[in-house]
């Protein structure tokens, strides 16, 4: 039988039942490898359910730092009989299948081309623990212990993690250690170890951190000065405000009174959440809300109000599989059009596309500056993969001299010195007017905010010319926005190929890997990573510089490609969609295959709409 | 078009405690129909703010969409105003209040704006006890969209288009009591002696203060029992099927003592039975308030006055233990934990 | 002074105060001309207010049948002192200004280059009527009487209209006649009549009717078999359900019991209205709702559900000026993108673009067939101009043999004969699955409708491959839709010019006129009128056949152009936007000027986004 | 995972009047947490439909989104089902009912689904007296999104994430009474003897029948006074900050006579005080119902039973005078007025 041999380059998958407490054990596994200096990329694949259904945890370990998803499992840990058939199948030939052999494995699960490692997890827990809940929980720790021997994970690192976790519950440390050791020693007694696929300490993560995007967003909001968070729970965005609360509670209490320097409102729905944000920002606070696709649809009337009345707002859209309720626990990037053009009438919104936790942190903090500067909603486009999975990320940084950019807000003193305040006057020629915060001045600067058409002095008007002046100024403001939003990242000093690659957000991980792999095959691509909408000149030039540009995204309708064509007046056939939308993060392999099918000339199909995505 | 007040006035107008004349609390000229109850309420708001010596810029006025929701333009020009989208003022007010607990928030809404599209937000603003005055200018119909029945219309009401309302009226006062509102009052637009003190009380209440103000729509209210008005005009409108004629009407006023009833004739000739709570009414007993309201309802009376007030009301900020200083005044120093704390956080993710 | 001389080619504008009852008198004026066989096109220009503000009624009279708006008033009837300054100004040199001279005209309103005709309307009413309300109302009839003399409107026709209107209120006829005669005789006694601009009977309207689009939609719903209407009032859509109720009440009562064969629900908001439609159509009835922009934003979550769960729905969007509350009483076509791609995730919706009341009727009736056939929302895109103004239209027709197309619905018998019913199986290869209506069969055909991902048998699934199969089938259905929606109309036998013109909906009136005018100047254009989205091959070919295509629309962002580029993979610079978005219906003159500025070569600006629209 | 019923069974199961066995009313295997109250309610629905001899295909089951809203999959496989979007089931049910008045409509919702995002639609479905059963599986929290407090949570409740609820609970029963609901009942998920007859009564009521059913969430309910459960596990979860462990729990059942109280211990060790209405309770008096409810509330009791029923209830179709034949069965002949009528209409526009 084939033997896979690999050091620090493998995919380990855990098959569990949700609600059985496997998450913390699995996290410990990934974190330990990370602490051994080896880049890891864990992914939760979980059902929309609380208890009793299959759930998977997949860890890609890659010394080279390839952190996108990869098909093909090298080692499967299966403790869920429900999913066993599928799980056996997903192991690569020559791979390993670790299972609970307290009961004998049914013959239908036996494949000739993979290795089986039976560990009597249930039997061990039955013997060593009496409380059924402890049995359940420690089963998970036992398999981690077993893996430490099988894969050569440093036991000290694992124990260090446990000590860290149970710092304030010391009495839980010993039983956890014991469980680890039970697993380890079972392996050592019964198998040759380590396996041919295994780990070795490296120094490949540097000072990086392992963190999920939602926590990063929450920290960005704390650092960016958000004081009001209004939200309604929805997967996969829910954990953001939880984390915001946790850190604000720790870092934002008034030291004297113990009172909060923030307010969190769990709204009655997404419409109300967005309304609260608008009310708070209108009143001069920094406020944000978090949601996913369905929430954006519900917020769409309010987004139009904020656009037209020019009220700052920060919205975090952690995208999930759509349309409608869709695939609530799967990842996609399917809300680009609905977010960019949310609401009726001529509207358009600024989008930010973070691709790492570091950018989640940075862009969230920046979003508040942008919202105040541009007086318009800023939508941070995260997704389930980025938001809910841990990612290796550069550490977060903050310049203590940094000042919040509150934009064009007039103080009482300013008002004294102004002849006539016009809320919607384009004083500076950049399309951005000045605003005042309620309560500023006893007799000057008050105005009426409304979603109806108005003149430069915020007075209601049905006059067509005044309306046109106002909406044309909004276009000018849109031009100004291009200068303020994060610029795209280029991956070459100079463009030097006919073919270009555009990606953004979580397509980045797989796209960079695909580029390297293709490069090794002699296919060189220039690349650009989008970080915001509206697009600036660099994007236009990058596309103009290439015969064909591949646009990688995770939705069916090639929405980013549409927006690029629309906004930059591009020739559509120049942009080739590279799509994956089955709810799993896109893989380098998918990108590579799709690019190859179009390279060097558009071979088979002329109609690029017919591009087929291989089932992945 | 109603002029709340003629624009020319004597220079030596009386001033309130903080040196403002009543004119300083006025707004733009109203563009509502002549005689519209909403204009009377606007006038009462002006009066109340003047008497309370409120600094105009320390008050924010918010509304939804509708004739009623237009009124904030017609009072308090020196206050910031926010005309939200239809039915969504409560959430805007909640957010605004979170941002700055030091202003007075005056929300104005209509029965369509609050009891239909805005029901969810209305209920939850009450539940959170957001510190604001919430005035519903309740005319039982959708004025601005030309007279459809609203959810507070009486059973059997006819809309201008002829549709009969078969459904029970939602009583916002009863609803607020059920939901645990901490200040619940009702009045009639034309009853200034009752309305002005109620608005003042509401503004002084530290929590959500609901004022349901019956406010006749002179143009579209159309009770079936009404016989005497519109005569020729109505025949004309029926024949031509256009509803673009609005005869000029006078403001309806009423003045009656506490504990007594008044039968007020509306513009369409129908009668409304108001009953004012007795002077010795104890408004701090929710149980009695619910019962008294039920009783009045069974008699077909519209009970007015301050039905209930919770003297121990705690608003959202108190419940959430927010800092006293308005959140919108905090800056980097108070908000940003700095690079050192961030380095510790980074370390916790290694 | 210049004298305009014109027969049956003029613009008359009335300046009134709203709430004073002018509408029925003004309507009578337009209708009388229509009955004289002369095409007319009246437009209401009204405020978002009930009483006391300026309102205008503008009637374009055009023997040639040019029914778009035209700038420049030939005769102004001004009975509103508030707007008099503007009104005097809007008269063309040589034109006429009719006013109430009970009080002397202030000198500031005197222009040297126009003719003044004073009629003491107030004085006359004071003398002849005692009731103030009658005085108010009859003032309007008096000026119509005056116009009958000034413009040569046949008195018999006017009287006939009054008799018709007051058929069941006979006693109102005489006083109306009297008012007409008072106006007429005042003119005859004091002025030379008729004027040099005047009317002459023609036979240019044939069997056409004069009707507003909203009434036409309502009749389309009655004829199309709608039984459930759920709605929430919003200008300018409100009158549709009113008219539906009126006609249903007349034509849809059970003759025996007097009970209704329809149900109308005034919902609590737009979300609920759309939910009710979805519930009713899911249950096998034909249902519709009506709204305008803000309502579409609010319905967007539900539109995604209907798309993804494949539930028929008919939505009429009578567009108004956006964004947000915008200009509620002004016209635009600004909801194309928000309607076509409403909701998060990969969604797209069928749009129909009627341009006449006849098409409002036809397309509404057809929308129910399409919704049932395609099992998806159908959005009828009307606008304020089409919906609320009267238009000359071919009469409505109905083939009594016509059957409703209920689409693929399985009966109890069908279910008996089917091996296994799969709600989302693509049995016919057209992407359209079969459905069953609740209550059909005791043990077969039940299924679960949901907004989440599902397999062919409507079972919830998180399986990526099943998800992909499902959404790819939806794309196939989208292809099928192209064959079913109304085809575009071409205005030439064969394309024979380099330049093409695309228009739709209410841009049609002005576009056709502009084409003729340009044609007279030697500039010939081929033209295509869009009637639906998705676009079919004809549209693609039309564009491919032309070097440049002008796309006429009434919004700032050239939304139709964007959708065309997106969906047909077109080169953007081939499509030149011709835009007007000030809230007034676009004029032939605007179109002509903008086309000229781009013809024969794209002269000044290379960047077509910078196209400036002349204030109109 | 709970099995409502094992799938293998004896062939000679008892049949009801129309020849269906109880199994014919069952659904797919539940995927809710073991011991979840919602599963008990599903079982009661199955029992009630079986006993009432309802033809399964003559019932339509509708829900929103949430653990509770998943349950329609777990009963009545032969009925059409509709899982709407979050909070919007009432409008779907209203439309469905308009289309076909002959089916029984069974709506299932959660407290998040009804009392927060769905509040507006909930209120208006009551107001319209839509003929349907509306069951709220009320657990005071958002189960599916992992345990946030809902608007029906008691003051002081702790969410799993540790957030304290400062706001008063919305009492859906009190709200429904205030709004004029025609059938208002409450029960407890584990009290089959009370719940099954209540569901049967609700299904027989011609109008909107609200059943607020207290249904403990075994996973996320977390009363502060709770001390005894979770012990080791809770310590573990607090330490690791992951909430992915759900110990298996038993269904909570209770059985107590009318007129009596029962103190039921929930899974987290907290106690709920149920009080059953007395056997001689007269449920046709709204006034008494409101008062009795207020009384119980003041005592901290959860009053259960059929509080109120309006024996003269008229549903929306009756109020609107819709034809008896379901609208969805009408075709061209009944609906289309034909070309001749159209020609007359054309003529009226010339
Ligand atoms: C989302 C939305 N739906 C509908 C409308 C149309 N609309 C404007 S005001 C109004 C009703 C107003 O009624 P009410 O709140 O009672 O105010 P009133 O005019 O009676 O004072 C409606 C339906 C709107 N502006 N926005
Ligand atoms: C528009 C929208 N917002 C949020 C969600 C996420 N969500 C799903 S279920 C749920 C709450 C469910 O609570 P409840 O109705 O009480 O049901 P339970 O799970 O407690 O039975 C939420 C917020 C959603 N699906 N759709
Ligand atoms: S329509 Fe009615 S509510 Fe609106 S302004 Fe006129 S009288 Fe007032
Ligand atoms: S989370 Fe709570 S409500 Fe949801 S299934 Fe589990 S126990 Fe039931
Ligand atoms: Mg109203
Ligand atoms: Mg719940």
């Amino acid at each position: 039988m084939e033997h896979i041999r690999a050091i620090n380059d493998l995919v380990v998958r855990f098959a569990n039942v949700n609600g059985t407490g496997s998450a913390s054990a699995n996290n410990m596994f990934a974190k330990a490898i990370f602490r051994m200096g080896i880049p890891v990329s864990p992914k939760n694949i979980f059902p929309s359910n609380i208890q009793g259904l299959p759930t998977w945890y997949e860890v890609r370990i890659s010394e080279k730092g390839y952190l996108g998803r990869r098909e093909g499992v090298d080692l499967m840990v299966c403790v869920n009989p429900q999913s066993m058939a599928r799980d056996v199948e997903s192991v690569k030939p020559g791979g390993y299948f670790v299972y609970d052999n307290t009961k004998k494995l049914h013959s239908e699960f036996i494949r000739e081309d993979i290795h089986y490692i039976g560990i009597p997890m249930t039997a061990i827990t039955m013997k060593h623990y009496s409380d059924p809940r402890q049995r359940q929980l420690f089963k998970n720790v036992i398999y981690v212990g077993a893996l430490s021997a099988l894969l050569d994970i440093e036991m000290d690192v694992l124990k260090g993690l446990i000590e860290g976790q149970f710092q304030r519950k010391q009495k839980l440390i010993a039983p956890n250690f014991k469980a680890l050791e039970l697993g380890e020693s079972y392996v050592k007694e019964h198998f040759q170890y380590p396996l041919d696929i295994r780990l070795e300490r490296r120094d490949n993560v540097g000072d990086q951190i392992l963190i999920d995007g939602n926590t990063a967003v929450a920290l960005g909001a704390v650092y960016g000065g958000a004081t009001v968070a209004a939200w309604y729970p929805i997967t996969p965005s829910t954990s953001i405000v939880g984390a915001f609360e946790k850190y604000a509670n720790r870092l934002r209490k008034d030291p004297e009174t113990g009172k909060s320097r923030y307010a969190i409102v769990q709204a009655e729905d997404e419409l109300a959440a967005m309304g609260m944000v608008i009310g708070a920002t209108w009143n001069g606070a920094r406020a944000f809300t978090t949601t996913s696709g369905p929430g954006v649809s519900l917020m769409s009337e309010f987004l139009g109000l904020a656009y037209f009345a020019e009220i700052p707002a920060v919205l975090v859209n952690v995208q999930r599989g759509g349309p409608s309720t869709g695939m609530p626990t799967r990842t996609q990037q399917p809300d680009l059009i609905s977010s960019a053009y949310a609401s009726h009438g001529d509207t358009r919104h600024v989008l930010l596309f973070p691709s790492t936790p570091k950018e989640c942190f940075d862009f969230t903090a920046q979003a508040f500056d942008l919202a105040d500067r541009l007086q318009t909603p800023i939508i941070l486009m995260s997704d389930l993969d980025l938001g809910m999975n841990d990612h290796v990320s550069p550490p977060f940084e903050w310049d203590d001299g940094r000042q919040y950019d509150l934009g064009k807000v007039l103080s009482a003193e300013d008002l004294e010195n102004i002849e006539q305040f016009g809320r919607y006057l384009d004083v500076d020629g950049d399309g951005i007017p000045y605003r005042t915060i309620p309560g500023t001045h006893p007799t000057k600067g008050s105005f009426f905010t409304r979603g109806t058409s108005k003149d430069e002095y915020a007075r209601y008007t049905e006059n067509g010319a005044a309306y046109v002046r106002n909406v044309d100024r909004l276009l000018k403001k849109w031009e100004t926005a291009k200068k303020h939003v994060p610029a795209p990242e280029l991956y070459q000093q100079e463009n030097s190929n006919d073919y270009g690659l555009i990606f953004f957000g979580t397509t980045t991980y797989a796209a960079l890997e695909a580029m390297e792999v293709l490069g090794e095959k002699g296919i060189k691509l220039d690349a650009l990573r989008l970080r915001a909408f509206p697009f600036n000149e660099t994007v236009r030039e990058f596309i103009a510089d290439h015969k064909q540009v591949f646009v990688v995204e995770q939705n069916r309708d090639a929405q980013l490609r549409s927006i690029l064509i629309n906004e930059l007046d591009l020739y559509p056939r120049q942009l080739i969609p590279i799509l994956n939308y089955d709810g799993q993060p896109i893989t380098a392999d998918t990108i590579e295959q799709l690019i190859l099918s179009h390279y060097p000339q558009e071979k088979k199909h002329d109609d690029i709409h017919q591009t087929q995505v291989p089932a992945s | 078009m109603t002029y709340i007040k003629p624009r020319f006035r004597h220079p030596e107008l009386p001033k309130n405690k903080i040196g403002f004349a009543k004119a300083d609390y006025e707004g733009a000229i109203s563009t509502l129909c002549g005689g519209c109850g909403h204009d009377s309420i606007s006038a009462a708001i002006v009066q109340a703010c003047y008497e309370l010596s409120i600094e105009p810029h320390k008050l924010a006025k918010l509304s939804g969409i509708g004739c009623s929701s237009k009124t904030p333009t017609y009072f308090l020009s020196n206050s910031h105003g926010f005309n939200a989208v239809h039915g969504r003022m409560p959430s805007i007010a909640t957010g605004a209040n979170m941002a700055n607990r030091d202003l007075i928030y005056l929300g104005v809404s209509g029965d369509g704006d609050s009891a239909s599209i805005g029901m969810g937000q209305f209920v939850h603003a009450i539940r959170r006890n957001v510190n604001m005055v919430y005035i519903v200018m309740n005319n039982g119909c959708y004025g601005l969209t030309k007279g459809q029945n609203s959810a507070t219309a009486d059973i059997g009401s006819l809309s201008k288009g002829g549709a009969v309302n078969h459904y029970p009226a939602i009583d916002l006062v009863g609803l607020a009591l059920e939901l645990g509102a901490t200040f619940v009052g009702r009045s009639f637009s034309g009853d200034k002696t009752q309305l002005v003190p109620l608005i003042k009380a509401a503004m002084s209440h530290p929590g959500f203060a609901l004022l349901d103000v019956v406010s006749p729509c002179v143009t579209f209210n159309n009770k079936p029992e009404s016989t005497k008005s519109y005569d020729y005009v109505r025949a004309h409108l029926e024949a031509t099927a256009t509803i673009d004629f609005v005869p000029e009407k006078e403001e309806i006023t009423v003045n009656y003592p506490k504990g007594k009833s008044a039968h007020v004739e509306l513009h369409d000739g129908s009668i409304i039975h108001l009953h004012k709570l007795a002077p010795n009414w104890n408004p701090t007993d929710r149980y009695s308030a619910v019962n008294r309201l039920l009783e009045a309802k069974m008699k077909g009376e519209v009970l007015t006055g301050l039905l209930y007030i919770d003297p121990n009301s705690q608003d959202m900020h108190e419940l959430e233990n927010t800092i006293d200083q308005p959140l919108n005044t905090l800056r980097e120093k108070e908000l940003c934990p700095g690079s050192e704390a961030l380095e510790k956080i980074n370390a916790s993710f290694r």
Side-chain angles (χ1 to χ4, degrees), chain B residues 32-33 36 38 67 139 143-144 216-220:
Chain B
L32 302 184
C33 305
C36 176
H38 300 353
C67 294
N139 56 14
L144 191 58
C217 170
V218 309
T219 304
F220 297 116

Side-chain angles (χ1 to χ4, degrees), chain B residues 236-248:
Chain B
H236 172 86
L237 296 183
E238 273 168 20
T240 61
T242 54
I243 43 172
D244 72 323
F245 185 73
V246 181
E248 287 288 334

Side-chain angles (χ1 to χ4, degrees), chain B residues 310-337:
Chain B
D310 176 351
N312 302 317
S313 167
Q314 284 197 300
D315 85 330
M316 230 179 133
H317 283 287
E318 290 178 78
L319 293 170
E320 297 284 350
N321 199 28
T322 332
I323 194 167
D324 296 341
Q325 199 185 343
L327 293 175
N328 70 352
T329 62
L330 305 179
R331 291 292 174 268
E332 296 81 359
K333 201 167 63 69
E334 295 98 346
L335 298 177
C336 184

Side-chain angles (χ1 to χ4, degrees), chain A residues 205-452:
Chain A
V205 305
D207 65 348
Q208 293 190 96
I209 58 179
L210 187 65
I211 191 171
D212 62 278
N214 282 356
T215 302
V217 166
L219 283 165
V222 171
Y223 275 76
T227 51
V228 177
W231 71 300
Y232 190 72
I234 185 167
T235 308
S237 69
T238 304
S239 60
I240 298 176
V241 176
F244 178 76
E245 181 154 30
K246 175 177 136 190
Y247 286 105
N249 192 43
R250 193 186 292 170
L251 302 166
R252 281 272 200 84
K253 290 281 187 192
D254 183 54
E256 276 156 47
T257 60
K259 292 186 170 195
S260 306
R261 286 176 177 154
Y262 61 92
I264 297 173
V265 195
Q266 185 182 313
E268 58 272 28
D269 60 17
E270 289 86 349
L271 290 90
M274 184 43 95
M276 290 171 193
V277 168
I278 290 174
T281 55
W282 171 76
N283 222 355
R286 298 193 140 189
F288 73 108
T289 185
T290 62
T291 191
S292 188
V296 177
S297 284
L298 288 171
M299 290 172 183
S300 112
E301 189 194 21
F302 258 142
L303 284 168
L305 173 70
Y307 171 79
F308 198 45
E310 301 180 64
I311 305 170
V314 173
L315 161 61
V316 182
N317 177 6
V318 189
Q319 298 166 91
R320 67 189 209 183
S324 195
T325 309
M327 294 190 290
T329 60
R330 294 290 182 268
T331 200
Q332 272 189 351
Q333 301 172 311
D335 300 341
L336 305 178
I337 287 180
S338 64
S339 301
Y341 306 109
S343 212
H344 60 283
D346 289 306
T347 56
R348 44 185 68 193
H349 306 289
V350 175
L351 311 182
L352 304 182
F353 302 118
S355 73
T356 60
K358 170 81 158 67
E359 282 188 342
C360 286
F361 175 80
D362 289 342
F363 289 6
T364 302
Q366 191 182 354
F368 293 97
D369 284 351
L370 285 170
D372 279 349
R373 168 64 38 193
L374 298 169
Q375 299 175 27
T376 202
I378 308 294
I379 309 180
L380 187 87
M381 303 294 286
S382 179
D383 62 26
L384 183 140
D385 181 22
L386 180 56
M388 289 187 71
N389 291 320
D390 280 346
H391 297 263
V392 174
S393 166
F396 304 156
E397 288 161 19
W398 192 264
D399 171 358
D400 287 322
R402 175 166 167 182
Q403 302 265 315
Y404 297 150
D405 177 1
L406 302 180
K408 301 186 184 180
V409 177
L410 296 177
S411 66
E413 205 189 332
D414 295 336
L415 285 166
E416 288 292 353
N417 299 326
I418 278 178
E419 209 152 292
Q420 196 184 3
F421 164 62
R423 167 68 180 102
Y424 297 107
L425 271 176
D426 186 8
V427 177
D428 304 326
D430 58 0
I432 306 174
Y434 284 81
R435 64 181 185 130
T436 58
I437 307 299
T440 301
H441 191 289
T443 54
K444 294 182 164 194
S446 74
F447 69 94
F448 222 95
T449 300
R450 42 165 60 92
T452 45

Side-chain angles (χ1 to χ4, degrees), chain A residues 13-32:
Chain A
R13 191 184 251 227
F14 300 85
N16 303 96
V17 175
N18 71 345
T20 56
S22 53
S24 49
N26 295 348
N27 286 339
M28 181 169 44
F29 170 82
K31 189 74 170 269

